[in-house]
Amino acid sequence: ERMRLSCEFHVKHSPNHPPQSALNEVVLHRGGEAQLVRIDAFVEDSFLTHSMGDGLVVATPTGSTAYSLSAGGPMLHPSTNTVVMTPISPMSLSFRPIVLPERVIIRLVVSDSSRSAALASVDGRPSVTLGSGDSIVISRSPYPVPTVNRENVTSDWVEDINNLLRWNIKAKQFAR
């Protein structure tokens, strides 16, 4: 089975947003705004960092090979039951992807000093616009997705990253 994320939106001016589940990732980003978005990230109510950039990706192991990977995050084995938080084009070079245990609660807050609103996307679907002080709370969903493996989870994963992602495969060069 594959873990999913659950996310709850806390929006001051529009409080009726139902919780959503994500198999791949939850992204808080600047959307179509030209300005960078400033996000305050908390893990288990402890302040982690201020992020100034295009946004943050919180991905499951399944989603780690999608947007998070293209933003510089690691590939996570599906059996690890971890989440990765990956900055999208951060202004600071010191903020790097961080791998967290599956049971943590992550809260992303659009900072009061942010120059733009942020858009929350769940599995690639735009969901909610968040303004200054609004937040999204992300945790592990109690409802994983059942899966069927061809052989076993590790050999299937290795085969997939080699075949589908063409991971570390160099194109053949021919002498002229």
Side-chain angles (χ1 to χ4, degrees), residues 74 114 121 135 138 152:
S114 184
S121 297
S135 65
I138 305 164
N152 66 58

Side-chain angles (χ1 to χ4, degrees), residues 42-91:
F42 297 82
V43 175
E44 298 292 335
D45 287 326
S46 294
F47 175 74
L48 178 67
T49 190
H50 298 289
S51 173
M52 176 78 88
D54 288 348
L56 288 173
V57 179
V58 178
T60 65
T62 302
S64 72
T65 57
Y67 197 172
S68 177
L69 181 65
S70 68
M75 288 187 278
L76 303 175
H77 188 281
S79 295
T80 60
N81 287 331
T82 54
V83 294
V84 61
M85 184 187 306
T86 307
I88 306 167
S89 301
M91 199 167 163

